[in-house]
Amino acid sequence: MKLVWSPETASKAYIQTVKSCRESGVAELVSAMAAGWKAQLIVETWAEGGAMGTSVGLAVARGHTGGRHVCLLPDERSRAEYERRMAEEAGTVPEMVVGEAEEAMEGLGGVDFMVVDSSRHDFSRVLSLADLSGQGAVLICKNANSSAAFTWRSVVSRRLARSVFLPVGKGLHIAHVSAVGASVAKSKRWIKHLDQRSGELHVIRRCP
């Protein structure tokens, strides 16, 4: 089976994130995508001093999918800050794993939704080490304006169904990795995202 898109679940997560998150743009977009794809293993990276919007949005999505939400943290200071701020802003704290990329990714098999922060020096390493779900996966690199030389081909060995760059927040690289053995679908559908601050409408092509 491949990942199956649920517009109803995506809409519910989007609206809930808008209501519960102080930051707009990236948070509701990733929340809607994770919920819409019914992701069962959501993985994100975070470092000390980072924004919380994406994490709150993913926590909302996890509530709609019933899956796991795991945050990878580089050290104990980051872990303590993340735990405190998530408890305050989201009222819930996901699973947390502290350590370098190799250590943190160990045991996380079947990742089907992943958000990495390109401001972390090891973001490409984390992506390359991800054990992706055989049903397909959605990968997002946020703060992507600082990683102009980044290419998905350099970190993902699986077939890419689609990839796109969106000028949302500080830039998002988004890729949909095909299911194992799947051919790239020729038909296209669309995901629409309205930036609450700028009023701009962003449209993403996706595979069915």
Side-chain angles (χ1 to χ4, degrees):
M1 294 178 61
K2 297 188 294 183
L3 291 174
V4 178
W5 178 257
S6 170
E8 181 180 357
T9 307
S11 297
K12 289 179 180 179
Y14 184 98
I15 293 170
Q16 185 178 346
T17 303
V18 170
K19 292 179 178 178
S20 61
C21 186
R22 283 180 275 178
E23 303 165 30
S24 65
V26 176
E28 59 260 28
L29 178 58
V30 299
S31 179
M33 292 182 70
W37 285 115
K38 297 183 180 178
Q40 293 304 295
L41 179 51
I42 300 169
V43 177
E44 66 165 320
T45 66
W46 193 87
E48 184 179 3
M52 300 303 297
T54 299
S55 299
V56 173
L58 293 176
V60 169
R62 184 263 172 202
H64 287 276
T65 67
R68 294 174 64 192
H69 174 197
V70 181
C71 183
L72 310 182
L73 301 142
D75 50 49
E76 285 297 330
R77 283 186 58 174
S78 294
R79 185 205 61 75
E81 181 184 348
Y82 180 86
E83 183 175 22
R84 174 181 60 80
R85 292 175 64 185
M86 277 297 285
E88 293 174 353
E89 298 188 29
T92 184
V93 179
E95 297 178 46
M96 297 177 290
V97 179
V98 179
E100 296 297 325
E102 289 82 359
E103 180 183 2
M105 292 303 298
E106 186 176 354
L108 293 177
V111 176
D112 50 14
F113 198 92
M114 190 170 195
V115 182
V116 300
D117 188 343
S118 65
S119 63
R120 274 185 55 160
H121 73 280
D122 62 348
F123 81 95
S124 60
R125 183 64 175 157
V126 172
L127 283 169
S128 65
L129 289 168
D131 183 359
L132 303 179
S133 168
Q135 298 180 7
V138 175
L139 308 176
I140 298 177
C141 179
K142 68 178 185 178
N143 295 324
N145 289 336
S146 62
S147 56
F150 170 80
T151 63
W152 287 111
R153 296 296 182 188
S154 66
V155 294
V156 179
S157 58
R158 294 255 295 276
R159 182 193 296 269
L160 291 179
R162 291 286 184 272
S163 64
V164 67
F165 174 82
L166 292 180
V168 181
K170 295 182 179 179
L172 294 176
H173 280 300
I174 303 175
H176 177 199
V177 179
S178 296
V180 173
S183 59
V184 176
K186 293 183 180 180
S187 61
K188 303 182 179 86
R189 295 184 184 178
W190 304 88
I191 300 171
K192 294 182 179 180
H193 166 66
L194 179 65
D195 190 307
Q196 298 294 322
R197 292 182 178 178
S198 68
E200 295 179 342
L201 180 66
H202 305 287
V203 181
I204 310 171
R205 289 185 300 181
R206 69 172 180 82
C207 292

